Amino acid sequence: MENQTQSENKPHTLLFVDDEKNILNSLRRLFYREHYKIIVTTKPEEALGLIESHPVSLVISDHRMPEMEGTKLLSLIREAKPDIVRIMLTGYADMGAAVEAINTAQVYRFISKPWNDEDLKLTVREALRQYDLIALNRELTELVKEQNQELYDINRSLEKKVQERTAALDAKNKDLDALNQKLESSFLDTVKALMGLMEMKNRSLAGHARRVAAQSSELAKLLGLSKKEQQLCEMSALLMDIGMIGYPDSLLKLRVREMDQAKRLLWQKHPLLAEESLKGIDSLKAASRIVRSHHERFDGTGFPDGLVAKNIPLPARILAASGYFDHLLSPKSGEMGLSVGEALILLEKEQGKRFDPKVVHALIDVVKNIQAPSTALEVEVSLQELREGMVLAKDLKTGGGILLLPAGNHLQDAHLRRIMNFNRIDPIIDRIYVYRKG
Ligand SMILES: [Fe+2]
């Protein structure tokens, strides 16, 4: 089985071409026991047909033939089937024929007549081994090529799958974002609706909540709280005094120190009332707990639970300090609010007592360094709260759009009378902003 191809395990087909029949017979005899399939012809033309109709691996051709020279025949075979191993038999040492055979027919070997049987058998065996190697190499190359193509296809389809997957994930994320936005906006809608109620009841209560909310969110950020906690601070501040919605205006316009015992007890219930009304709303549960504690004091003298220091949730400690500071700045009961400097002195005095010292420090930083003076000093007041000496932060117009006083105007008694007169005929509906004393 040594002389069979490794890949197909079939006997090799050998083609012998010689115009002399006895040479062909000798060759046939020589390879008779070698397990080759032998075909022979005396006609070179026929040989060209035989290589097309048989799986010929090797050709041994005579050189001198009357119809066609061996060089010519082997060249044509090389053109038609380049893999067939070509061996030339020469009757004599013809250098010219040898050179031509090498150049044009690229023969594997020359064998001179008369040949040595063993040499010729060995030459054929080696030639066929090389033929098999070339065939195997080609097969493997083809296989690698096919596998490369397969790999390429797999990569392409993987890439496509990844792209599809990414697109699907993107779409899911977008859906999720939309859902979150919807949730967020329904949550904000709830807060806005509640703020609207507060606004209807008492505009300065709502204004106070808005300013404290903005400041508390800043404070939370400065104190290193997460985005979610910053938002919790803001929401809780907006809603902290919602429990006062049912209180009479006569109570709301008083400062705490001006309230009698009964009024003060009622007023002190507002954190609990707020908690009660908010805790039923899923998205406001966390805020309801903060709202309950926004009047707790750091030293434990606050209400409703008398919590001490870190037992008070940090957002509630933030709301407490920020709320107090804003009250100090706001006009109430016919009095102007304090200046920022005066309010800061009072705030500092309360650190460690009413308020968490670290919150007080942060608040001082926010007021002194972070807030822009123009927004820090602007405060919303009601028409009734306008007083002589206040400076308008924004133009003051009637509901019909008549400019009563421009921004920057120092209010005098005559101005106030004019404003009130106009308000009776063409009520002022815009919010009124004045500067705090710096
Ligand atoms: Fe409050």
Side-chain angles (χ1 to χ4, degrees), residues 171-185:
K172 278 228 169 83
N173 277 341
K174 270 185 194 144
D175 287 351
L176 213 59
D177 279 351
L179 200 64
N180 274 336
Q181 264 175 15
K182 215 169 148 192
L183 276 174
E184 187 103 330
S185 94

Side-chain angles (χ1 to χ4, degrees), residues 205 208 240-242 244 267 270-271 291 294-295 303 323 327:
L205 203 59
H208 168 69
M240 63 186 175
D241 288 333
I242 199 139
M244 294 192 204
W267 177 79
H270 79 268
V291 162
H294 81 277
H295 279 286
F303 61 91
H327 274 310

Side-chain angles (χ1 to χ4, degrees), residues 12 25 71 78 103 157 200 246 309 329 352 365 379 384 425 431:
H12 283 292
N25 288 336
T71 323
R78 178 186 161 227
N103 285 335
S157 89
M200 273 165 59
L329 298 174
D365 278 352
V379 59
Q384 287 69 30
I425 309 158
R431 290 177 179 161

Side-chain angles (χ1 to χ4, degrees), residues 130-144:
Q130 187 187 312
Y131 173 88
D132 284 343
L133 281 177
I134 289 169
L136 188 63
N137 185 286
R138 177 162 298 130
E139 255 175 52
L140 288 175
T141 308
E142 271 309 306
L143 193 67
V144 168

Side-chain angles (χ1 to χ4, degrees), residues 126-172:
E126 279 173 359
L128 289 173
R129 191 169 296 136
Q130 187 187 312
Y131 173 88
D132 284 343
L133 281 177
I134 289 169
L136 188 63
N137 185 286
R138 177 162 298 130
E139 255 175 52
L140 288 175
T141 308
E142 271 309 306
L143 193 67
V144 168
K145 225 162 112 184
E146 269 171 34
Q147 284 176 344
N148 277 344
Q149 182 62 41
E150 259 174 54
L151 268 178
Y152 175 78
D153 292 345
I154 288 170
N155 275 340
R156 283 290 297 272
S157 89
L158 264 179
E159 212 169 285
K160 208 174 150 212
K161 267 187 192 144
V162 168
Q163 276 172 358
E164 284 169 2
R165 212 53 203 277
T166 311
L169 275 176
D170 276 354
K172 278 228 169 83

